[in-house]
Amino acid sequence: GVSAATTPKSVVRAWSKALNANDNAGAAKLFALNARVIQPGVDVALTSRALALAFNESLPCAGKIVRITVKGNRATATFVLGERPKHRCDAPGVKAAAVFTVQHGKIIRWQQVPVPAAPTGPTA
């Protein structure tokens, strides 16, 4: 069985927790070597631990997870952005979303995506 710490959902939560604490090294450790990062105008492979660290360090905002949907090994997380230690958030209170593809408990692909529409109809 898969240990709880390696499910896509738990990896996203661990990443978010590290990021929100400005623990960039902890956040970087959750990325596999050569993980792909895709943002508007950016498509890079994190070919070293230093690059993974730099990517996490570059994110200006903390994020409070408001929703995670999982499909196979991909988790789509929606965050509400907020201030993070030693950074200045450029869009506090705004929602952002990313798709995390997780393999063996590591993020192999991190892609910023438009925030998914909230599901309509009754919620449980």
Side-chain angles (χ1 to χ4, degrees):
V2 179
S3 86
T6 59
T7 64
K9 192 176 274 195
S10 62
V11 169
V12 169
R13 289 194 186 284
W15 176 78
S16 179
K17 189 177 172 185
L19 201 72
N20 293 353
N22 203 36
D23 175 9
N24 297 303
K29 279 195 185 97
L30 293 164
F31 283 81
L33 196 59
N34 295 318
R36 199 166 156 201
V37 167
I38 304 165
Q39 290 178 288
V42 178
D43 185 342
V44 295
L46 303 179
T47 52
S48 69
R49 179 63 65 218
L51 278 173
L53 192 63
F55 164 66
N56 285 285
E57 175 65 50
S58 75
L59 296 168
C61 304
K64 178 173 176 280
I65 296 171
V66 289
R67 194 156 166 252
I68 299 179
T69 53
V70 177
K71 200 171 177 181
N73 67 344
R74 290 198 323 224
T76 302
T78 302
F79 304 88
V80 173
L81 301 181
E83 296 300 340
R84 113 180 240 233
K86 300 191 175 74
H87 290 71
R88 180 176 227 122
C89 183
D90 50 4
V94 171
K95 280 186 180 171
V99 176
F100 297 74
T101 307
V102 175
Q103 208 170 42
H104 309 302
K106 299 275 186 190
I107 299 160
I108 58 165
R109 184 181 164 116
W110 185 100
Q111 180 169 7
Q112 193 173 339
V113 293
V115 174
T120 52
T123 52

